[in-house]
Amino acid sequence: MNRGGDGPTVDAVLIAEPRNSEHVDLNGFMEGVKRRNPGQPEFVQAVQEVAEDIFEFIADKEQYHRWQILRRIAEPDRVVSFRVCWEDDNHNIRVQRGYRVQNNNAIGPYKGGIRFHPSVNESILKFLAFEQTFKNALTGLPMGGGKGGANFNPKGKSDGEIMRFCQSFMTELYRHIGADVDVPAGDIGVGSREIGYMFGQYKRITNSFEGVLTGKGMEYGGSLIRTEATGYGAVYFLENMLRTKGLDLAGKTAVISGSGNVATHAAEKINQLGGKVLTLSDSEGFVHDPEGITQEKIEWVKTHKTRRRGRISQYAEEYRSATFHAGKRPWGVPCDVALPCATQNELLGEDARTLVANGCIGISEGANMPTDLEGVHVFRDARILYAPGKASNAGGVAVSGLEMSQNSARISWKEDQLQQLLRDIMDGIHQRCLEYGEESGGHIDYVKGANIAGFKKVADAMLAFGVV
Ligand code: NDP
Ligand code: 2IT
């Protein structure tokens, strides 16, 4: 390790006697992470992806070693797990496991979504809360990182069942959150309906009306464009990346996975900017529409898939130009740009190689960690435009941050103001990635840029606090 360079003064004693030997190199550090987090592969993967860049960055910056900063960010402040009981429509008593992972609040209250999906476990929520810490720092807004959820499957549940589950979940969660403590929002399986039920229960239990959740309805403190912000932001980020090569989205073909909140709004913005969307997907397969998934078709998807909880396969029955590919992901469809917007590890190494071989020039992740570690290395090695979710999908949490500001000030900003702020924030994130990600020959490694810029802000705040 190079301990010289232009970093701050080096502690000579520390050089002679490293006190934390496992922090000396990346491999030793990762061995420790694996040992302390058995059976948590998603969490280990997220830490590895960040640590690969951070170890290079801190090689000559002794203070980050001395104060064990990465080690501390990779250990959540707390993981709360709790029982959630509810009664289904047939009067069966059901028991789910709920969580809130509060990863780090060095730069602001914990902030991050709530996920309801049968796959939810501690590993997945710890990875999401860890990623959120860097993402939120990148927005430039004062938000720490957290994530929560439950292994509850909302599919096929009645409205009454959803309400009772949300109320029971909040009956425990309320004691761990607060407008200045931890502010949850939506994620997979949690949209404005679920936020409404949870907000109602929080208000009822605490007898206080405060900005404790974001993604609220407009009638009770929500923000305009929060619904659209993640998908729109991911496309703005892609536009910024293309611009560095003198390109834009006009006439470009896009492959998108998912068909929920993020995917449909990303598709909408691609259309608005003159691109053509070829695919959408869900957990059962993908639809390929060579004529393009136009705005009218996106509206149909929003109504059928999101609001009526239908399946994407029905799209191919409605629009004869489309074909449905059961059990498959869309990465084999040749395209100019790709936006994975469904879930973690949905784009593997071989998918990444296929995309690159087919001439794809830009990837903007709408989902969190959709690309596995091998895929990340394929994209980075190919030196194509590749934005990790912590940079490109930050538009959603950014507008959540703006919702918090509006709630604190008890005002509502207009749509054009918010649209401009979202644009500005995405531009700012892009700029921060350039600052730390620009390599020789002008290539920009956005993974490195995002990891280092996010880390530096949180790390410097932690240095100011000492050992806490
Ligand atoms: P939604 O619940 O609205 O939609 C999720 C979509 O992803 C659905 O099409 C769903 O298909 C699909 N999906 C979910 N799990 C799986 C799985 N295990 N395998 C295959 N497909 C799956 O969620 P969002 O659109 O809000 O979230 C999508 C991604 O974006 C997530 O990674 C989330 O963390 C991330 N994100 C969301 C933000 C937001 O503001 N909502 C902000 C930043 C990131 P099916 O219906 O079959 O389950
Ligand atoms: O992953 C994410 O950034 C989100 N699900 C949004 C979090 C938020 O607090 O708006």
Side-chain angles (χ1 to χ4, degrees):
M1 185 190 311
N2 170 16
R3 292 173 194 272
D6 54 7
T9 316
V10 171
D11 175 344
V13 175
L14 186 74
I15 292 175
E17 295 172 18
R19 290 174 198 130
N20 300 286
S21 56
E22 81 172 31
H23 208 131
V24 166
D25 65 22
L26 173 63
N27 289 339
F29 175 76
M30 285 312 304
E31 281 312 309
V33 172
K34 284 179 198 150
R35 197 174 58 245
R36 285 188 298 276
N37 301 282
Q40 301 195 346
E42 293 87 0
F43 178 64
V44 171
Q45 178 185 339
V47 176
Q48 165 98 32
E49 194 215 276
V50 168
E52 286 178 4
D53 291 316
I54 299 308
F55 266 85
E56 201 184 311
F57 174 66
I58 65 177
D60 60 352
K61 298 176 183 64
E62 194 51 46
Q63 73 274 29
Y64 299 128
H65 295 279
R66 167 81 176 86
W67 297 101
Q68 292 283 290
I69 299 296
L70 187 59
R71 167 87 165 79
R72 284 157 64 194
I73 299 177
E75 189 68 41
D77 288 357
R78 66 192 61 78
V79 178
V80 185
S81 141
F82 47 92
R83 184 183 64 232
V84 185
C85 300
W86 58 287
E87 191 174 345
D88 70 20
D89 287 345
N90 297 320
H91 306 292
N92 299 307
I93 302 304
R94 310 281 288 265
V95 182
Q96 247 68 52
R97 189 168 297 171
Y99 301 89
R100 188 71 183 165
V101 179
Q102 297 177 331
N103 192 72
N104 187 293
N105 67 352
I107 63 166
Y110 304 107
K111 180 85 196 87
I114 290 178
R115 178 177 291 192
F116 291 163
H117 193 271
S119 65
V120 161
N121 59 32
E122 194 175 313
S123 172
I124 288 176
L125 293 181
K126 276 171 66 180
F127 113 65
L128 287 163
F130 177 80
E131 287 276 297
Q132 198 83 41
T133 302
F134 297 84
K135 182 196 306 191
N136 293 2
L138 282 168
T139 65
L141 301 175
M143 301 181 290
K147 201 86 184 190
N151 62 349
F152 170 71
N153 187 357
K155 282 203 192 93
K157 300 292 187 297
S158 70
D159 195 48
E161 289 176 324
I162 298 281
M163 181 184 77
R164 290 194 294 280
F165 180 79
C166 288
Q167 290 176 338
S168 185
F169 183 81
M170 184 53 83
T171 300
E172 172 63 29
L173 184 68
Y174 90 96
R175 70 190 77 241
H176 307 292
I177 62 176
D180 294 318
V181 178
D182 183 353
V183 182
D187 193 77
I188 291 176
V190 176
S192 58
R193 173 179 61 165
E194 291 74 19
I195 294 291
Y197 291 143
M198 287 192 272
F199 186 79
Q201 184 72 348
Y202 182 88
K203 188 171 66 61
R204 176 193 195 188
I205 295 171
T206 62
N207 195 30
S208 75
F209 192 108
E210 53 174 306
V212 67
L213 295 171
T214 61
K216 301 186 290 298
M218 287 308 299
E219 305 77 14
Y220 57 96
S223 175
L224 288 168
I225 81 158
R226 173 62 190 87
T227 309
E228 299 87 347
T230 310
Y232 281 17
V235 177
Y236 292 151
F237 200 90
L238 180 58
E239 214 188 6
N240 282 339
M241 293 199 297
L242 290 169
R243 205 172 286 142
T244 64
K245 304 256 180 210
L247 301 170
D248 62 27
L249 277 163
K252 300 277 183 307
T253 51
V255 158
I256 299 181
S257 65
S259 47
N261 173 275
V262 180
T264 51
H265 291 102
E268 193 165 296
K269 187 53 74 178
I270 292 273
N271 272 302
Q272 286 172 13
L273 295 175
K276 185 176 183 183
V277 177
L278 299 178
T279 67
L280 287 172
S281 75
D282 65 17
S283 53
E284 292 172 9
F286 77 93
V287 285
H288 178 199
D289 187 345
E291 288 183 8
I293 302 177
T294 57
Q295 187 56 32
E296 179 215 321
K297 294 170 179 175
I298 294 167
E299 291 303 332
W300 184 91
V301 173
K302 281 187 191 170
T303 307
H304 277 259
K305 181 75 174 49
T306 318
R307 292 186 203 121
R308 292 194 202 139
R309 306 258 152 187
R311 309 309 304 154
I312 200 66
S313 56
Q314 294 166 290
Y315 179 103
E317 293 159 23
E318 182 72 14
Y319 300 104
R320 307 313 296 183
S321 52
T323 46
F324 176 65
H325 303 260
K328 297 229 160 53
R329 290 184 288 235
W331 315 122
V333 175
C335 59
D336 298 313
V337 296
L339 294 100
C341 296
T343 193
Q344 65 276 353
N345 291 328
E346 54 162 324
L347 198 164
L348 311 179
E350 63 180 282
D351 302 318
R353 277 188 285 277
T354 303
L355 282 164
V356 173
N358 284 342
C360 179
I361 55 171
I363 317 283
S364 181
E365 293 184 343
N368 286 305
M369 205 171 76
T371 309
D372 75 352
L373 211 48
E374 189 188 340
V376 171
H377 290 149
V378 170
F379 290 144
R380 291 179 79 172
D381 292 347
R383 290 166 80 86
I384 63 172
L385 299 169
Y386 166 55
K390 62 171 78 70
S392 46
N393 74 32
V397 75
V399 175
S400 277
L402 301 178
E403 183 172 331
M404 290 167 72
S405 301
Q406 293 170 82
N407 292 168
S408 299
R410 302 195 193 286
I411 51 172
S412 295
W413 293 332
K414 295 197 176 68
E415 182 173 343
D416 54 352
Q417 285 173 283
L418 287 156
Q419 292 281 12
Q420 190 56 48
L421 284 167
L422 173 61
R423 273 257 182 201
D424 291 348
I425 290 171
M426 296 313 295
D427 290 353
I429 297 171
H430 187 259
Q431 200 52 43
R432 281 174 206 111
C433 290
L434 295 192
E435 196 177 328
Y436 293 99
E438 193 149 9
E439 299 194 324
S440 58
H443 173 68
I444 299 144
D445 184 334
Y446 286 91
V447 177
K448 180 171 148 190
N451 283 339
I452 296 176
F455 171 80
K456 192 166 182 314
K457 178 164 180 184
V458 176
D460 290 346
M462 290 172 73
L463 286 176
F465 302 147
V467 182
V468 288

